C-alpha cells in the first residue's frame, strides 16, 4: 500500500465529514487507506463515520488520549509506505496527495513534507513553514520582530521567511495539520512524543527528524484549507496546555539560563493570553447577500427558506467561474459552494482568488444538508443547516 491517511478527531463531526469527503476524492487513484482515530467524541462523530464511511478504519478511544498518542495509535495500524497526519478540520484538493507523493519520492533524504495551508477566509497560514524555535527565534516571535524585519535572516526565522508562501524548499519545522512522511521514518523516531499532550508535538517531531540528518520540505504546489481551532476552545485549559507544551520543548531540547527561563515563561503567558483574546474575536463581515454556486435551482429555494434572505444563483455547469466575478463580488457577500458540482480544488481556488474581498465562504459537502466554513483563523467555524 502506498499511503495511509491518519485523521485524529475530537468533537468536530461536521468538519470531519467534509474532510473525509475531500480525502476520499483525493485517494481515488492511489492504493491507500483512511484511518480515523476518535478521542472519545460526544457529538456523534463515530456514528457519522460508521454510517457514511463504512469502509474506512475507525478506532474509538474510550477517553481523550491527546494528539501525540492518538496519532501514534493510528500510525501503528497503518499499512502504507507513507503516512499523512491530517487534521479533521482540513479540506484537500483532488490532486493533493498525488502531487505531494510525486514530490516526496524524488527526495533522497526525505524527512517530513508539509503543504501550503490557508484558513477559511483564504488567507495564507504562516505556520505552514517555520524555523526551529530556539530561545532567540522565540524571542523574535514574541516581540514581533519578524514583522518589523521580514527580510532579515536575524529576525525572520520563526516563519521561515527565507521562502515565500509560493516557493517550495527546505524548512525546519512543519505543522501537524498536514505532515507526510515514510512510515519507516515515523517508526524509527518513535512517532510523536506522548509526554506532550498537544501544541508542541509537531515542532518536536520535525526537530527530531532534522537531528537524524533528514530534510523537511514546504511544498507550495497544492493548497489545503485548514479551518484551525475547531477542536480547541481558547479558554484557561488551552492557556495552561499551551504553556506546558512550550516549556516541554525547551526543557527537552535546550539548555537555558534561569533568567531566560523566567523571561520565556512570562513571554509564553503573554503569548497565550493573546491567543485567548484572538479566539474571542468575531468576524466583522456580516452576510447580507447570498450567492449559491451550484447547478441545482431547487437548492436555491431550500437555502432561501432557511436563511430568509435573497439568494442569487450562479449555474456552475452552464457559466463556470468565468462569470463568478461578474456576480458582484462585494462586501457582505456569502459565497456558498455546492460540492455536488464544484470540486474541492475549485472550492480552494475560489477561497484564494477572492481573499480579502469582504466575502464569506461556505461549502456544502456532497450529500449533506448543511454548509460549513470559518470567518477567522482565530475562532471556531460556522455550520448552517438547511432542512
Amino acid at each position: 500500500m502506498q499511503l495511509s491517511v491518519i485523521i485524529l478527531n475530537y468533537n468536530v463531526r461536521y468538519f470531519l465529514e467534509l474532510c473525509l469527503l475531500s480525502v476520499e476524492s483525493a485517494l481515488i487513484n492511489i492504493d491507500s487507506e483512511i484511518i480515523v482515530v476518535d478521542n472519545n467524541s460526544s457529538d456523534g462523530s463515530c456514528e457519522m463515520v460508521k454510517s457514511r464511511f463504512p469502509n474506512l478504519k475507525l478506532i474509538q478511544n474510550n477517553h481523550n488520549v491527546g494528539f501525540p498518542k492518538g496519532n501514534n495509535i493510528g500510525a501503528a495500524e497503518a499499512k502504507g509506505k507513507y503516512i499523512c497526519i491530517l487534521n479533521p478540520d482540513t479540506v484537500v484538493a483532488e490532486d493533493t496527495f498525488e502531487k505531494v507523493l510525486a514530490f516526496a519520492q524524488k527526495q533522497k533524504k526525505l524527512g517530513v513534507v508539509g503543504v501550503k495551508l490557508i484558513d477559511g477566509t483564504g488567507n495564507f497560514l504562516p505556520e505552514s513553514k517555520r524555523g526551529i524555535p530556539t530561545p532567540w527565534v522565540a524571542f523574535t516571535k514574541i516581540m514581533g520582530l519578524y514583522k518589523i524585519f521580514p527580510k532579515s535572516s536575524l529576525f525572520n526565522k520563526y516563519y521561515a521567511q527565507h521562502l515565500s508562501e509560493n516557493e517550495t524548499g527546505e524548512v525546519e519545522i512543519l505543522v501537524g495539520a498536514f505532515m507526510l512522511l515514510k512510515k519507516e521514518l515515523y517508526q524509527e523516531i518513535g512517532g510523536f512524543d506522548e509526554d506532550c499532550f498537544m501544541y508542541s508535538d509537531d515542532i518536536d517531531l520535525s526537530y527530531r527528524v532534522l537531528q537524524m540528518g533528514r530534510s523537511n520540505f514546504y511544498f507550495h504546489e497544492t493548497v489545503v484549507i485548514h479551518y484551525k481551532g475547531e477542536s480547541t476552545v481558547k479558554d484557561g485549559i488551552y492557556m495552561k496546555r499551551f504553556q506546558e507544551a512550550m516549556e516541554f520543548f525547551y526543557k527537552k531540547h535546550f539548555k537555558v539560563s534561569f533568567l531566560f527561563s523566567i523571561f520565556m515563561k512570562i513571554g509564553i503567558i503573554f503569548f497565550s493570553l493573546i491567543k485567548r483574546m484572538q479566539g474571542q474575536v468575531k468576524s466583522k463581515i456580516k452576510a447580507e447577500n447570498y450567492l449559491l454556486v451550484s447547478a441545482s435551482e431547487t437548492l436555491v429555494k431550500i437555502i432561501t427558506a432557511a436563511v430568509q434572505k435573497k439568494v442569487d444563483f450562479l449555474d456552475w455547469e452552464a457559466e463556470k467561474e468565468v462569470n463568478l466575478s461578474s456576480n458582484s463580488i462585494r462586501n457582505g457577500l456569502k459565497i456558498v459552494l455546492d460540492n455536488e458540482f464544484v470540486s474541492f480544488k475549485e472550492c480552494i481556488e475560489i477561497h484564494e482568488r477572492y481573499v480579502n474581498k469582504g466575502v464569506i465562504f461556505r461549502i456544502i459537502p456532497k450529500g449533506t444538508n448543511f454548509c460549513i466554513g470559518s470567518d477567522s483563523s482565530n475562532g471556531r467555524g460556522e455550520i448552517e443547516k438547511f432542512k
Side-chain angles (χ1 to χ4, degrees):
M1 185 178 289
Q2 193 173 14
L3 176 64
S4 298
V5 180
I6 300 165
I7 302 171
L8 178 65
N9 178 69
Y10 180 64
N11 285 333
V12 287
R13 175 245 185 271
Y14 294 101
F15 283 92
L16 175 64
E17 186 170 1
L18 174 62
C19 176
L20 288 173
L21 286 168
S22 74
V23 171
E24 274 196 337
S25 67
L27 293 177
I28 290 175
N29 299 319
I30 301 173
D31 183 14
S32 58
E33 64 179 350
I34 303 171
I35 300 172
V36 173
V37 182
D38 186 81
N39 265 346
N40 199 30
S41 295
S42 58
D43 65 346
S45 291
C46 293
E47 290 75 13
M48 179 277 294
V49 171
K50 290 174 184 176
S51 63
R52 183 139 202 211
F53 305 95
N55 295 323
L56 61 74
K57 186 174 184 64
L58 173 64
I59 300 171
Q60 295 179 248
N61 294 326
N62 58 18
H63 66 286
N64 187 352
V65 299
F67 183 90
K69 187 170 184 177
N71 279 297
N72 288 347
I73 289 171
E77 299 292 324
K79 299 176 183 177
K81 178 180 179 181
Y82 293 87
I83 62 173
C84 179
I85 305 297
L86 186 69
N87 269 27
D89 55 349
T90 56
V91 179
V92 302
E94 284 78 2
D95 59 359
T96 288
F97 295 120
E98 292 178 13
K99 283 186 172 182
V100 176
L101 283 170
F103 174 80
Q105 289 163 359
K106 295 175 183 176
Q107 310 311 316
K108 293 182 179 179
K109 291 187 176 182
L110 179 69
V112 184
V113 182
V115 297
K116 181 179 179 180
L117 299 171
I118 61 173
D119 65 16
T121 69
N123 279 290
F124 173 67
L125 291 171
E127 62 265 30
S128 301
K129 52 181 181 66
R130 290 174 289 179
I132 300 168
T134 62
W136 168 251
V137 171
F139 174 79
T140 64
K141 162 65 175 174
I142 291 170
M143 301 304 293
L145 298 175
Y146 71 98
K147 294 179 181 178
I148 302 171
F149 307 103
K151 295 183 179 180
S152 169
S153 60
L154 186 62
F155 301 108
N156 68 3
K157 291 186 183 326
Y158 190 88
Y159 286 126
Q161 289 164 283
H162 67 285
L163 289 179
S164 75
E165 64 184 78
N166 295 316
E167 185 180 4
T168 293
E170 289 189 36
V171 296
E172 293 168 329
I173 305 297
L174 296 162
V175 65
F178 187 111
M179 303 179 89
L180 184 137
L181 66 164
K182 288 185 177 180
K183 183 186 177 184
E184 180 183 28
L185 175 59
Y186 191 91
Q187 292 174 319
E188 191 175 350
I189 63 173
F192 288 104
D193 189 331
E194 295 179 14
D195 287 335
C196 180
F197 190 81
M198 60 195 308
Y199 298 129
S200 68
D201 32 57
D202 49 4
I203 300 174
D204 176 67
L205 184 139
S206 299
Y207 186 60
R208 286 187 284 125
V209 166
L210 292 176
Q211 289 178 315
M212 294 183 63
R214 304 298 183 97
S215 298
N216 296 331
F217 293 92
Y218 166 73
F219 179 70
H220 85 282
E221 293 179 35
T222 188
V223 182
V224 172
I225 296 175
H226 180 208
Y227 290 109
K228 287 191 66 178
E230 291 312 313
S231 300
T232 306
V233 178
K234 290 181 171 61
D235 55 11
I237 296 175
Y238 163 85
M239 291 174 62
K240 183 175 182 292
R241 286 181 175 166
F242 182 82
Q243 292 170 37
E244 290 173 348
M246 297 310 296
E247 289 171 358
F248 163 84
F249 181 76
Y250 281 107
K251 286 179 180 178
K252 180 175 179 178
H253 294 293
F254 296 103
K255 291 181 179 179
V256 294
S257 68
F258 175 75
L259 287 176
F260 190 85
S261 296
I262 296 297
F263 170 79
M264 287 305 300
K265 189 171 184 64
I266 294 171
I268 289 168
I269 292 171
F270 175 72
F271 189 58
S272 58
L273 279 170
I274 292 175
K275 286 286 185 182
R276 185 177 182 181
M277 288 187 290
Q278 287 175 337
Q280 296 170 350
V281 174
K282 302 295 183 182
S283 172
K284 296 180 180 178
I285 303 173
K286 300 293 182 183
E288 298 174 356
N289 303 282
Y290 283 69
L291 173 63
L292 173 65
V293 181
S294 176
S296 171
E297 293 192 49
T298 303
L299 190 56
V300 178
K301 298 176 182 177
I302 294 172
I303 296 176
T304 300
V307 302
Q308 295 294 300
K309 291 186 179 181
K310 184 177 183 296
V311 179
D312 294 324
F313 177 62
L314 172 64
D315 189 330
W316 193 246
E317 289 190 338
E319 300 180 66
K320 214 60 174 172
E321 193 177 350
V322 66
N323 288 324
L324 180 56
S325 60
S326 66
N327 276 266
S328 303
I329 299 299
R330 60 199 181 278
N331 282 340
L333 181 65
K334 181 176 286 189
I335 300 177
V336 183
L337 304 164
D338 181 4
N339 177 235
E340 192 72 44
F341 304 99
V342 186
S343 71
F344 288 111
K345 186 172 183 177
E346 289 170 330
C347 288
I348 294 168
E349 288 173 347
I350 290 170
H351 278 63
E352 279 202 291
R353 182 163 293 127
Y354 298 105
V355 63
N356 297 325
K357 299 293 185 182
V359 301
I360 292 171
F361 303 101
R362 295 290 185 267
I363 298 175
I364 304 175
K366 186 181 296 185
T368 70
N369 64 350
F370 63 88
C371 70
I372 193 166
S374 177
D375 305 332
S376 169
S377 60
N378 294 311
R380 307 197 80 182
E382 303 288 339
I383 298 145
E384 297 177 63
K385 297 183 180 180
F386 298 134
K387 355 178 183 175

